[in-house]
């Protein structure tokens, strides 16, 4: 399965068959815009002729997309059908009759304006375009195009994330041999300090006792700075991230959780740092993890 970004755009224009009997070329336009969001956040901007089909639009978008802030904009261009035309005489007669009846009961009611006569007279006895099937067809095409756009962007994000995974692995490999060397150096420093202290105090402690105390101090120090467990967990999280990306699908939320875990391990590694080089590695890790976190926010 592909990795899908939540960012995408699609536009479809469809000219359905004329069912009004009036002639002219009506046209249906549909635009889909999508950006990242924690959940599916759907915003509809439908023309008046299409508002009756809002439930169908919501159902189709919800079935096709799982996450993202999605804006659906649908409009209708009636072409020649939308041009101003004088209503038929029988329609005007019926409007006049209705107006007379209303004003007989409500003498203060306002008379119909020219705009009212054009709008209402055009509706009387007129067959209306059925937009259900054209809208369903256009929306299906637009959703396919949007998913293709989101898949293309998702492929780019997946490649970037896998690249960052490899960089983090390389930093972890650099950090691994540093701890034993730091422990060895610290043990030597402990031995030198204890020997100097014993000489200055002229104490009766044996060299064996001095060495054992130094080794105990070195062992305690090694436990404080040991980052092997953090590196092991970091490797495990990186393996899982790579597995999710290669598997594809709806992985955004799981990736977001793993990024938090990576950041926690990098922070712990930095807090245990006993050298400038290990500190630099921790900082470099956190920079890479932050870059990953920003991009993971866009993955479905």
């Amino acid at each position: 399965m592909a990795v899908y970004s939540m960012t995408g755009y699609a536009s479809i224009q469809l000219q359905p068959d004329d069912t009004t009997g009036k002639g002219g070329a009506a046209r249906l336009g549909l635009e889909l815009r999508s950006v990242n969001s924690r959940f599916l956040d759907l915003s509809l901007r439908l023309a008046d002729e299409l508002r009756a089909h809002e439930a169908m639009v919501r159902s189709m978008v919800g079935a096709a997309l799982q996450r993202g802030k999605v804006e659906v904009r649908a409009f209708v261009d009636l072409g020649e059908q939308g041009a101003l035309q004088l209503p038929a005489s029988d329609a005007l007669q019926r409007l006049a009759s209705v107006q007379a009846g209303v004003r007989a009961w409500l003498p203060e009611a306002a008379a119909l304006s020219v705009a009212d006569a054009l709008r209402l007279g055009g509706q009387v006895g007129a067959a209306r375009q059925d937009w259900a099937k054209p809208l369903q067809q256009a929306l299906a095409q637009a959703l396919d195009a949007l998913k293709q756009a989101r898949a293309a962007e998702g492929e780019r994000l997946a490649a970037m994330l896998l690249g960052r995974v490899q960089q983090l692995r390389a930093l972890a490999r650099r950090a691994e041999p540093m701890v034993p060397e730091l422990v060895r150096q610290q043990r030597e420093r402990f031995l030198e300090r204890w020997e100097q202290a014993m000489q200055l105090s002229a104490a009766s402690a044996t060299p064996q006792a001095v060495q054992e105390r130094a080794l105990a101090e070195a062992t305690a120090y090694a436990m404080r700075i040991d980052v092997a467990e953090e590196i092991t967990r970091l490797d495990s999280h990186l393996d899982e991230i790579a597995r999710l990306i290669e598997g594809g699908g709806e992985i955004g939320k799981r990736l977001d959780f793993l990024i938090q875990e990576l950041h926690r391990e990098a922070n712990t590694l930095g807090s245990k740092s006993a050298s400038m080089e290990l500190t630099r590695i921790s900082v470099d890790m956190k920079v890479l993890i932050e870059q990953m976190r920003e991009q993971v926010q866009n993955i479905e």
Side-chain angles (χ1 to χ4, degrees), residues 3-297:
V3 174
Y4 290 97
S5 168
M6 285 186 282
T7 302
Y9 173 80
S11 175
I12 295 294
Q13 293 190 8
L14 188 67
Q15 185 172 317
D17 295 334
D18 177 37
T19 60
T20 64
K22 291 184 176 181
R27 181 171 57 91
L28 172 65
L30 192 66
E31 289 184 354
L32 298 180
R33 300 176 187 273
S34 173
V35 295
N36 64 306
S37 176
R38 291 183 62 191
F39 307 100
L40 181 61
D41 182 4
L42 186 57
S43 173
L44 303 184
R45 298 174 60 188
L46 306 180
D48 292 340
E49 296 87 347
L50 307 174
R51 291 188 185 279
H53 308 298
E54 179 176 331
M56 179 190 69
V57 173
R58 290 186 178 276
S59 176
M60 290 183 64
V61 174
L65 306 176
Q66 302 303 315
R67 295 178 65 197
K69 182 177 178 61
V70 182
E71 179 183 351
V72 181
R73 179 176 177 268
F75 60 90
V76 173
D77 180 4
L78 295 177
E80 294 180 7
Q81 298 176 19
L84 288 177
Q85 296 179 358
L86 181 65
S89 58
D90 60 337
L92 292 175
Q93 289 175 357
R94 290 164 68 180
L95 281 177
S97 176
V98 171
Q99 177 178 244
V102 170
R103 299 192 73 184
W105 288 93
L106 303 171
E108 297 181 358
L112 290 172
S113 66
V114 174
D116 293 334
L118 289 172
R119 176 172 54 83
L120 297 174
Q123 294 177 0
V124 176
R128 302 192 66 181
Q129 174 80 44
D130 181 9
W131 290 104
K133 289 184 178 180
L135 180 59
Q136 185 178 23
Q137 180 183 354
L139 184 57
Q141 294 178 12
L143 286 170
D144 285 343
L146 181 65
K147 292 180 72 173
Q148 290 177 12
R150 287 165 56 131
E153 176 66 11
E155 184 178 358
R156 184 189 68 81
L157 293 177
M160 187 280 293
L161 290 173
L162 289 175
R164 297 296 186 274
V165 166
Q166 294 304 317
Q167 290 177 278
L168 286 169
R169 289 191 194 279
L171 289 172
R173 298 292 79 78
R174 282 173 53 192
E176 277 181 324
M178 290 184 180
V179 172
E181 178 61 21
L182 289 170
V183 172
R184 186 191 64 78
Q185 294 175 1
Q186 190 65 21
R187 182 175 60 185
E188 292 179 355
R189 285 195 292 268
F190 281 140
L191 286 170
E192 292 175 0
R193 290 172 185 173
W194 276 102
E195 289 174 355
Q196 293 172 1
M198 293 302 297
Q199 291 174 1
L200 291 174
S201 62
S204 59
T206 64
Q208 181 67 24
V210 172
Q211 186 176 23
E212 290 177 356
R213 180 64 182 271
L215 290 176
E217 292 287 346
T219 300
Y221 174 78
M223 294 175 64
R224 289 197 304 270
I225 69 169
D226 185 17
V227 295
E229 187 174 346
E230 285 74 18
I231 291 177
T232 298
R233 285 197 296 263
L234 189 142
D235 282 335
S236 176
H237 297 327
L238 292 176
D239 289 340
E240 181 63 11
I241 289 174
R243 187 190 69 80
L244 287 173
I245 292 174
E246 291 170 359
E250 301 164 20
I251 60 175
K253 291 183 178 180
R254 283 177 287 179
L255 285 177
D256 188 49
F257 172 76
L258 288 169
I259 293 300
Q260 295 178 36
E261 294 300 307
L262 283 179
H263 202 276
R264 183 178 293 110
E265 302 304 336
N267 275 335
T268 305
L269 190 147
S271 67
K272 289 185 174 183
S273 174
S275 69
M276 286 301 299
E277 182 61 22
L278 201 55
T279 300
R280 292 191 189 98
I281 289 176
S282 172
V283 171
D284 290 344
M285 281 184 172
K286 286 189 279 189
V287 169
L288 292 172
I289 293 168
E290 181 62 22
Q291 292 173 355
M292 294 174 72
R293 187 191 67 79
E294 292 176 358
Q295 298 304 322
V296 163
Q297 302 303 311

